[in-house]
Amino acid sequence: MKKIFSGVFFALILIIASSPAYAANGNIKIKVDGKQVVTDVNPETKNNRTMVPLRVISENLGATVNWSDSEVTLTKSDIRVILKLNSNTVVKNGQKVLLDVKPYLKNGRIFVPLRFLAETFDCNVDYKDLTVNVITKPLVINGVEVKAMLYEYHMVMGGVVERIKGNAYIEEMYNIFVKNKGSKVKEPLNYIWSFHSTIPGGYYKGGQFDFIDQEGKSIKQFDIYTLVQTFGETLPDPKVLIYDATDDQWYLFNDASSNSIYQLIETAGKNGFKTIIENTVP
């Protein structure tokens, strides 16, 4: 029977995984929500711990990774983690945490204990057949579980609809919308899908983001609108707005939050969590 492990049980699994028989196999597989993580370096064991490349695993758990010199910062919603190469001390939201294996650099990649990442981002782990599957919690909106997010954008002619899966990506994008929307504003006088059809001072919809349930029904929808300006022009209007289509309300937004949304979608695509389901661009 398949069992879910976390905390102490997870630690025991990692010890088992690093036994001579397991190490001899030389093929530790890591999955996130059932999808195998593809990396250019293989996970390995050290001091009875499964060590994994930091960036690709963290990204698949919805975190942003910034590496400067020997210091790495992980950010996700209200979580901020700072760690250094060859140091057991990690700072999580201002509190020190000790690692049992120091992060180290190998083949241009930083390796950290998988248990550390799973516990940091509140994940469970299922171990079976030499594969460690990191299981993230699904996003729940108004009591309904979100199964995917549909991202739609338009070109000069036609448009594209992409489906984003991966609980961590979906949750982080939703949190960015909710936590960074500003004051309520009036509906703009001029707004449209296409940038090329919008006059300066109007808004164009850069993307529609629809959080859907198991049956494909919308639970929550946000649209991002950006102000059209001519080169060198500065207009008094807000540069970015979001439209909460579910509640029929406009809000102030900001460039940084908008860019974070698009960056998460790009990363989801790079890691195999994005699928094009419709493309009408000629």
Side-chain angles (χ1 to χ4, degrees):
M1 181 180 293
K2 188 177 182 180
K3 298 181 179 180
I4 304 299
F5 299 82
S6 62
V8 175
F9 295 102
F10 184 25
L12 293 176
I13 289 173
L14 295 181
I15 293 174
I16 294 172
S18 60
S19 66
Y22 188 91
N25 182 272
N27 190 26
I28 302 174
K29 294 181 180 178
I30 305 294
K31 293 184 177 181
V32 175
D33 293 336
K35 187 171 186 61
Q36 185 167 341
V37 176
V38 179
T39 69
D40 54 0
V41 291
N42 293 323
E44 58 188 30
T45 58
K46 185 175 183 180
N47 297 341
N48 292 329
R49 293 292 180 265
T50 299
M51 306 296 292
V52 296
L54 172 68
R55 180 178 295 276
V56 67
I57 303 298
S58 298
E59 287 180 345
N60 280 307
L61 297 180
T64 299
V65 182
N66 290 305
W67 180 7
S68 178
D69 296 326
S70 62
E71 184 175 280
V72 181
T73 302
L74 308 178
T75 54
K76 178 183 178 182
S77 297
D78 298 329
I79 299 174
R80 179 180 173 86
V81 177
I82 300 174
L83 58 87
K84 294 184 178 181
L85 289 175
N86 303 312
S87 173
N88 288 95
T89 303
V90 172
V91 179
K92 178 181 177 181
N93 291 346
Q95 301 295 317
K96 290 184 178 180
V97 179
L98 294 180
L99 300 179
D100 45 15
V101 180
K102 297 178 181 179
Y104 58 88
L105 188 66
K106 183 176 180 180
N107 296 331
R109 298 290 181 265
I110 297 174
F111 280 74
V112 297
L114 176 58
R115 181 179 68 171
F116 158 68
L117 293 180
E119 291 180 347
T120 295
F121 299 112
D122 193 23
C123 303
N124 290 324
V125 173
D126 171 33
Y127 172 73
K128 184 178 181 181
D129 298 333
L130 302 181
T131 298
V132 181
N133 188 18
V134 183
I135 304 170
T136 62
K137 296 179 181 179
L139 172 65
V140 176
I141 302 175
N142 298 328
V144 182
E145 186 175 306
V146 177
K147 290 299 182 181
M149 190 200 74
L150 300 183
Y151 164 49
E152 181 177 355
Y153 59 94
H154 286 193
M155 310 295 283
V156 177
M157 296 180 63
V160 179
V161 180
E162 300 175 342
R163 180 174 57 223
I164 313 297
K165 288 192 172 182
N167 294 328
Y169 290 110
I170 294 171
E171 178 186 35
E172 184 62 6
M173 284 187 281
Y174 179 77
N175 286 338
I176 290 173
F177 278 119
V178 172
K179 294 181 179 181
N180 293 280
K181 68 180 181 182
S183 303
K184 293 181 180 180
V185 295
K186 294 182 179 180
E187 177 182 341
L189 295 176
N190 180 23
Y191 60 92
I192 198 169
W193 259 109
S194 174
F195 171 84
H196 300 277
S197 302
T198 308
I199 63 174
Y203 289 85
Y204 72 94
K205 181 157 68 169
Q208 177 174 302
F209 307 82
D210 209 349
F211 298 85
I212 62 174
D213 64 14
Q214 181 68 51
E215 298 178 350
K217 297 179 180 179
S218 176
I219 307 171
K220 193 72 173 178
Q221 178 187 320
F222 294 102
D223 304 335
I224 293 181
Y225 283 85
T226 302
L227 180 67
V228 178
Q229 303 180 77
T230 58
F231 181 75
E233 179 185 32
T234 300
L235 298 175
D237 300 302
K239 188 175 181 181
V240 183
L241 300 175
I242 56 171
Y243 173 59
D244 184 335
T246 310
D247 296 336
D248 189 21
Q249 180 62 58
W250 292 80
Y251 295 91
L252 296 175
F253 209 46
N254 59 74
D255 257 344
S257 298
S258 177
N259 291 337
S260 294
I261 295 286
Y262 292 120
Q263 183 59 55
L264 281 165
I265 291 176
E266 181 179 339
T267 303
K270 180 183 68 177
N271 292 320
F273 284 90
K274 182 174 72 175
T275 304
I276 295 176
I277 60 175
E278 183 179 337
N279 187 346
T280 59
V281 177

